[in-house]
Amino acid sequence: MIPILNQATLLFPSKSSNEAFARAAAACFAAQLDPTLEELGDVKTAVSEAVTNAIVHAYPDRLGKILIKARILEGNILELSVRDWGRGIADVEKARQPLYTTGGEERRGMGFTIMESFMDSLRVRSIPGKGSTVTMRKRFSPRTTGGK
């Protein structure tokens, strides 16, 4: 197990208006690793997809809770977990396939694919009727400051 150097927890209702808040909070927490703007954009996009999945798929007909755990791990690794207590995913492997969606025609079915492309690792755990947890990690390279 990689030692945890810092951590924060954020709990909020599954309102679509909270998606932007979750993105910003994750980016602010990640900022302590001195990421590039591109890396911050990657984190924000991945969090946005995870939170939107929880809002749309976990709680399609009611408000629920979403929990984000952000951790800085030894080795400049950012770990983000997005958890819900919604309806869960019956077939995680099928749900991870591009273009698969349970959200209707307006959904693209690319959420997990996008998360995977912007982060170094993605783990999805789900129990139907109990909820899902998406855990993502990204390692940041230490940046050198010119000539110091």
Side-chain angles (χ1 to χ4, degrees):
M1 185 162 161
I2 303 172
I4 299 168
L5 304 179
N6 196 9
Q7 59 186 341
T9 303
L10 181 64
L11 180 67
F12 54 92
S14 61
K15 294 182 176 188
S16 60
S17 58
N18 286 332
E19 179 269 333
F21 172 61
R23 281 172 58 102
C28 286
F29 186 79
Q32 64 193 285
L33 290 170
D34 195 26
T36 64
L37 289 176
E38 182 180 352
E39 289 169 329
L40 270 183
D42 293 351
V43 168
K44 289 165 75 174
T45 300
V47 167
S48 178
E49 291 295 330
V51 169
T52 298
N53 272 0
I55 291 167
V56 171
H57 301 291
Y59 305 111
D61 51 6
R62 66 182 173 94
L63 279 180
K65 295 183 296 185
I66 298 173
L67 176 75
I68 296 179
K69 286 186 179 177
R71 294 185 177 107
I72 303 295
L73 307 178
E74 193 171 85
N76 279 1
I77 298 169
L78 173 68
E79 180 182 81
L80 297 165
S81 295
V82 179
R83 180 177 181 192
D84 67 69
W85 291 266
R87 65 183 189 177
I89 303 168
D91 186 339
V92 171
E93 289 310 310
K94 190 173 184 179
R96 288 185 69 162
Q97 293 177 8
L99 306 179
Y100 177 81
T101 184
T102 60
E105 286 184 24
E106 73 280 0
R107 301 322 259 167
R108 299 180 321 253
M110 295 295 290
F112 288 130
T113 302
I114 291 168
M115 287 178 242
E116 216 162 17
S117 70
F118 285 107
M119 302 298 275
D120 295 333
S121 68
L122 174 72
R123 186 178 71 226
V124 182
R125 293 192 174 163
S126 188
I127 300 172
K130 302 234 182 216
S132 303
T133 302
V134 173
T135 303
M136 305 172 280
R137 284 187 178 175
K138 186 170 187 74
R139 181 185 301 273
F140 294 88
S141 298
R143 293 197 298 171
T144 59
T145 53
K148 289 188 181 178

